[in-house]
Structure formats: C-alpha cells, structure tokens
Amino acid sequence: MSVWFTGDVLVAQKLYFENITAKQGLSQNSVTSIIQDRTGFIWFGTYDGLSRYDGYTFKVFRKEANQPHSLSHNFIRTMLLDRKGQLWIGTLGGGISLYDADHEHFITYMHSELDKNSISNNEIYRIVEDRSGTIWIATWGGGLNKVVFNPENKDTSLFAENRLQFIRFQNNPSDPQSLITDKVSSLIQDRNGLLWIGTRYGISIFDPEKELFVRHYRHDPENPNSLSHDNVSALELDSHGDIWIATWGGGLNK
C-alpha cells in the first residue's frame, strides 16, 4: 500500500507492480537505463544487451562476433533519445552505438589511439543534448566529448561511416582551469546554458559557447556549505532551476 499527502488530506491507495524479468524475455535482470522512442517502443539497457519492448514481447540486441553492425558492447550504461528521434546507446567498454531504425542495426564509434578525432574513451557514463542540439558525452577516463560532423565527409546521413568526430575536453595537470579529472560520471545543462560536469573529484562548470571551464566545486572540510563529497554520482535540474547533486558517501546536495 502506498501513502502520500495531497494538501491536508492523507491518501492511501493500493498499487500493484508487474514484474518483468528475463523469464519474460528481458535480456538480463540488471537494468541500467530506460527510454521510450517516438514509435512507442520502450528500450531497456542492461548488463547483458539491449532489449526493445512493444508491450507484449521483447527483441534483444547484443554484440555479435564478425557482425560490424551489431551492438558494440553488451554492457549498456546510458541512453539518449535526441530531439530528432535518434537513439544513442552508451556502453561500458564499447563506446557509442547509434541505432539505425530503417535497417535495425547499429553504427559504432569507439576510441582509437591512432585517431585524435575519435571518442576519448570507451567507458560511456552519460549522453546529453544541450539546448542548441549539440551532443555531449561524458566518459569515465577520457573526460568530456563534443560531437561534431566530420567536415571531410559530405554524406548527410548520420549513419555514414566516419560521419561524426569528437572534440575532447580533458584534464591538463599543468592547467588548473581544465577539467578537474577525466573520470566523469554525470552531466547536465543549467538554465544559464552552462554544463555541470560531475566527476570522481568534484564538479567542473563548462561554458559550451566559449568552450572554457569557468569554475570548479570541491569538498572543503573547513566549509560546511561546500560540496559534501567529491565523488559525484548524479546531477539533476529541477523545475525551479535548482541543481541536485548525489554523491557516493556524502549524501545529497542542493
């Protein structure tokens, strides 16, 4: 039974939870992310594959050997449905997979030591679209990436090979104004257009128009109004414009 307050009235209502697991076709029982696309399908990212649900049955996508257009990795960490309806899948170890709905396959972008324009790291923690439509990707170990179109590739299709490039914003030990650390866990845009970047060692604030880091926030044991803990796990912007910051070990900050 659930109980909540509505004004001055205490309301009680029985709620029933339908359990959907691998027995019903879900790819795996540890679900990391959920998103609904424009056609009504619900997508579930799991520790072992991607599951698409139509309300009755599942279609499961996994990485397949010798299949270049299969999912890039089975451990799904995060997903984004952008304003154009494109589904972005961030994996833990396989970079980014873009779902091509017309062909029901994936285009993958992974880190390459030989390509400075590749994504900076294959451990993807967050994918965000800002108010201008730019896609930003937070990685655990490679810092922040901005997605841009490859100027040498004139193909207008998002699914053309090498259509996208990645601009990296990373920690520079000799520059205190750079990203605090390359281990980025969370990312949001505030009402002023600034990107808040939650990391293993505090928060960095980034101006996407100037492409500059404008300030950092860290825990200060001498200041009770500082960030409660440097290890940030999640960020959320509420309807009032306030930012909520979840930490590993330091509770919640507003």
Side-chain angles (χ1 to χ4, degrees), residues 21-77:
T21 69
K23 292 181 179 180
Q24 286 76 41
L26 187 67
S27 62
Q28 206 262 352
N29 285 335
S30 294
V31 179
T32 59
S33 51
I34 305 171
I35 208 161
Q36 186 172 30
D37 67 22
R38 291 181 177 179
T39 63
F41 288 122
I42 301 179
W43 297 79
F44 300 92
T46 77
Y47 280 15
D48 185 24
L50 182 66
S51 300
R52 189 184 71 191
Y53 188 54
D54 63 8
Y56 302 96
T57 59
F58 286 96
K59 181 177 177 64
V60 173
F61 300 90
R62 288 191 174 96
K63 180 177 177 59
E64 300 176 32
N66 303 317
Q67 295 295 327
H69 291 298
S70 69
L71 192 65
S72 64
H73 198 282
N74 288 334
F75 195 137
I76 311 301
R77 179 63 177 80

Side-chain angles (χ1 to χ4, degrees), residues 5 11 26 62 67 83-84 103 163 167 228 236:
F5 287 96
V11 179
L26 187 67
R62 288 191 174 96
Q67 295 295 327
R83 65 184 63 182
K84 296 179 180 178
H103 300 94
R163 182 68 179 101
I167 300 174
S228 66
E236 184 65 30

Side-chain angles (χ1 to χ4, degrees), residues 1-253:
M1 177 181 292
S2 62
V3 180
W4 69 93
F5 287 96
T6 303
D8 296 325
V9 180
L10 183 64
V11 179
Q13 182 185 30
K14 290 184 177 180
L15 294 179
Y16 299 93
F17 296 86
E18 180 181 354
N19 299 311
I20 301 174
T21 69
K23 292 181 179 180
Q24 286 76 41
L26 187 67
S27 62
Q28 206 262 352
N29 285 335
S30 294
V31 179
T32 59
S33 51
I34 305 171
I35 208 161
Q36 186 172 30
D37 67 22
R38 291 181 177 179
T39 63
F41 288 122
I42 301 179
W43 297 79
F44 300 92
T46 77
Y47 280 15
D48 185 24
L50 182 66
S51 300
R52 189 184 71 191
Y53 188 54
D54 63 8
Y56 302 96
T57 59
F58 286 96
K59 181 177 177 64
V60 173
F61 300 90
R62 288 191 174 96
K63 180 177 177 59
E64 300 176 32
N66 303 317
Q67 295 295 327
H69 291 298
S70 69
L71 192 65
S72 64
H73 198 282
N74 288 334
F75 195 137
I76 311 301
R77 179 63 177 80
T78 187
M79 292 186 288
L80 168 73
L81 188 73
D82 67 24
R83 65 184 63 182
K84 296 179 180 178
Q86 175 60 51
L87 182 63
W88 299 66
I89 300 108
T91 73
L92 270 175
I96 293 284
S97 282
L98 297 177
Y99 177 64
D100 182 346
D102 291 338
H103 300 94
E104 284 204 337
H105 69 203
F106 300 88
I107 301 298
T108 293
Y109 288 90
M110 295 183 66
H111 174 69
S112 169
E113 293 287 349
L114 302 177
D115 184 3
K116 66 179 182 179
N117 294 314
S118 68
I119 197 164
S120 62
N121 192 281
N122 289 327
E123 307 281 329
I124 311 301
Y125 265 58
R126 193 83 167 93
I127 310 170
V128 168
E129 182 178 25
D130 70 17
R131 62 183 62 177
S132 71
T134 300
I135 304 295
W136 299 86
I137 299 171
T139 73
W140 190 258
L144 181 68
N145 292 256
K146 177 182 179 181
V147 180
V148 297
F149 288 110
N150 181 354
E152 297 180 0
N153 189 335
K154 303 304 180 182
D155 193 322
T156 58
S157 171
L158 187 62
F159 304 110
E161 294 296 332
N162 300 315
R163 182 68 179 101
L164 302 181
Q165 291 183 340
F166 302 84
I167 300 174
R168 305 172 186 180
F169 300 91
Q170 297 175 302
N171 173 259
N172 180 350
S174 64
D175 181 7
Q177 300 303 314
S178 67
L179 183 63
I180 258 180
T181 176
D182 288 336
K183 293 183 176 181
V184 180
S185 59
S186 48
L187 179 65
I188 60 166
Q189 186 175 39
D190 68 17
R191 285 186 171 182
N192 296 317
L194 299 176
L195 295 178
W196 288 60
I197 305 161
T199 79
R200 176 64 179 83
Y201 300 118
I203 293 173
S204 291
I205 310 299
F206 183 75
D207 185 333
E209 292 186 359
K210 298 178 180 178
E211 294 192 346
L212 293 173
F213 291 93
V214 295
R215 67 182 68 93
H216 304 297
Y217 294 107
R218 297 196 67 177
H219 173 64
D220 178 358
E222 302 298 323
N223 181 3
N225 293 317
S226 71
L227 191 65
S228 66
H229 198 286
D230 283 339
N231 195 349
V232 177
S233 58
L235 297 165
E236 184 65 30
L237 179 72
D238 70 18
S239 59
H240 300 290
D242 294 327
I243 294 173
W244 296 81
I245 303 160
T247 70
W248 288 104
L252 187 65
N253 297 255

